[in-house]
Amino acid sequence: MASLKDMRNRIASVKATRKITKAMQMVAAAKLRRAQEAATAARPYAERMARVLANVNASVANRAGASPLLVGTGKDQVHLLVVMTAERGLCGGFNSSIARLARQDAVRLAASGKTVKILAVGRKGYDALRRDWGRNVVDRVDLKSVKQLGFANAQAIAAKVFAMFEAGEFDVCTLYFSEFKSVIAQKPTALQLIPAHLPPQASKEATRSQAVYEYEPSEEEILGPLIARNVTTQIFRGLLENAASEQGARMTAMDNATRNAGDMINKLTIRYNRQRQANITKELIEIISGAEAL
């Protein structure tokens, strides 16, 4: 049985841990509001971009010379998985859920004879995948020094993807991130970037649309930069969704840790008081027994 001094030290240690988790919870709560607003503001732009792309695509459908970013290379052999996670931990199952989804798809693709390549954005995703898929990681993007995410960060990631695509290093590119639903709910999501995967609803709206548009320059000239812009926009949206999901998950995890630390302190305090009372009773019995012996 631990001594009273050991129990006092353990109680003090748990109290110090509770202070840290409480502080981290408050910091995450402060960052969450800004990150949630940024993620929410980016959604309408990304969705509108998909609708515009679907509209232009509907007008140039079945034409020769379509952009490979839209129609693909004609092959489906090499898949690039862009796995975006956080640089830090202590955020519950946020990182592991994204890595699990990417790992499941990688296993499925490898089982069907496809070649899998991984671009890891964030240290935690790389750490989770390198044990089984370390040889498949072709590059890694470090965002540890980035204090506030901007469109330039998405452009840098998109530039790597475009360079690999132009070099013929992959046929299909899929983005993995966590979509922010609420503080307690984040949904791991896989979004195909290349060839561009247009939402079914946006494609139907573009097909049903009765409006006639005239494009200057031509639709083909517009479509190329628009697809590239859409890829960068979707990556930027994924970064913002990840940032909000990370803070929400960390806030929930630190709240649970703070509560658990409080429960542990209560249990340890009860055990300490009981042992202290037992020691006092034992000492009194020894004193009384010694006095009676005299």
Side-chain angles (χ1 to χ4, degrees):
M1 183 178 292
S3 64
L4 291 177
K5 182 178 179 181
D6 292 338
M7 296 187 68
R8 284 198 301 269
N9 291 339
R10 188 176 180 188
I11 291 173
S13 175
V14 177
K15 285 183 177 179
T17 302
R18 184 175 63 174
K19 289 182 180 179
I20 295 173
T21 56
K22 184 64 176 178
M24 292 183 66
Q25 177 190 352
M26 296 175 66
V27 171
K31 292 182 178 180
L32 174 62
R33 181 179 179 183
R34 189 187 315 151
Q36 183 178 356
E37 290 176 352
T40 304
R43 287 175 187 171
Y45 182 80
E47 293 170 358
R48 184 61 179 172
M49 173 72 74
R51 289 200 296 269
V52 171
L53 186 60
N55 190 9
V56 179
N57 178 53
S59 66
V60 298
N62 302 323
R63 291 188 190 178
S67 173
L69 292 174
L70 180 64
V71 299
T73 60
K75 297 182 293 183
D76 187 25
Q77 181 59 32
V78 183
H79 288 251
L80 176 66
L81 311 184
V82 183
V83 184
M84 298 198 303
T85 55
E87 293 288 345
R88 299 172 180 83
L90 296 177
C91 48
F94 166 74
N95 294 308
S96 60
S97 60
I98 300 174
R100 187 184 308 112
L101 178 61
R103 189 183 296 109
Q104 290 173 353
D105 286 354
V107 170
R108 175 179 53 81
L109 291 170
S112 61
K114 309 297 184 183
T115 302
V116 177
K117 296 182 179 181
I118 298 175
L119 171 60
V121 180
R123 183 172 64 89
K124 287 299 179 178
Y126 172 74
D127 292 343
L129 295 171
R130 68 177 178 179
R131 179 176 179 179
D132 299 326
W133 299 90
R135 295 181 179 179
N136 300 78
V137 178
V138 295
D139 201 353
R140 176 184 167 192
V141 178
D142 188 358
L143 298 176
K144 185 184 299 184
S145 60
V146 177
K147 299 299 181 182
Q148 186 173 356
L149 291 170
F151 195 72
N153 304 116
Q155 288 177 321
I157 299 172
K160 292 179 179 290
V161 174
F162 292 146
M164 293 178 64
F165 185 70
E166 291 174 359
E169 297 183 18
F170 68 88
D171 302 315
V172 180
C173 176
T174 306
L175 179 68
Y176 292 85
F177 62 97
S178 183
E179 184 179 358
F180 180 81
K181 296 294 186 181
S182 66
V183 177
I184 60 175
Q186 300 87 34
K187 180 183 177 183
T189 304
L191 176 64
Q192 183 175 307
L193 295 178
I194 301 173
H197 176 69
L198 304 178
Q201 184 177 0
S203 300
K204 290 179 182 178
E205 290 178 359
T207 305
R208 285 187 235 166
S209 177
Q210 300 298 323
V212 177
Y213 297 95
E214 293 184 0
Y215 297 95
E216 186 176 342
S218 65
E219 295 94 324
E220 290 82 357
E221 294 181 35
I222 294 176
L223 197 56
L226 189 62
I227 297 173
R229 182 78 174 184
N230 178 65
V231 171
T232 307
T233 300
Q234 299 301 336
I235 292 176
F236 183 49
R237 179 193 174 187
L239 289 174
L240 295 179
E241 294 280 355
N242 256 15
S245 298
E246 177 189 355
Q247 298 305 329
R250 178 170 290 114
M251 180 180 171
T252 301
M254 292 301 101
D255 179 59
N256 293 334
T258 302
R259 294 175 185 272
N260 292 338
D263 294 340
M264 184 176 292
I265 290 171
N266 293 335
K267 292 179 181 178
L268 290 174
T269 302
I270 292 174
R271 287 177 54 189
Y272 172 80
N273 291 335
R274 287 177 178 174
Q275 186 171 340
R276 181 169 175 271
Q277 290 172 0
N279 290 347
I280 293 174
T281 303
K282 181 180 178 181
E283 292 174 358
L284 289 175
I285 291 174
E286 291 176 352
I287 293 172
I288 293 172
S289 299
E292 291 179 352
L294 296 176

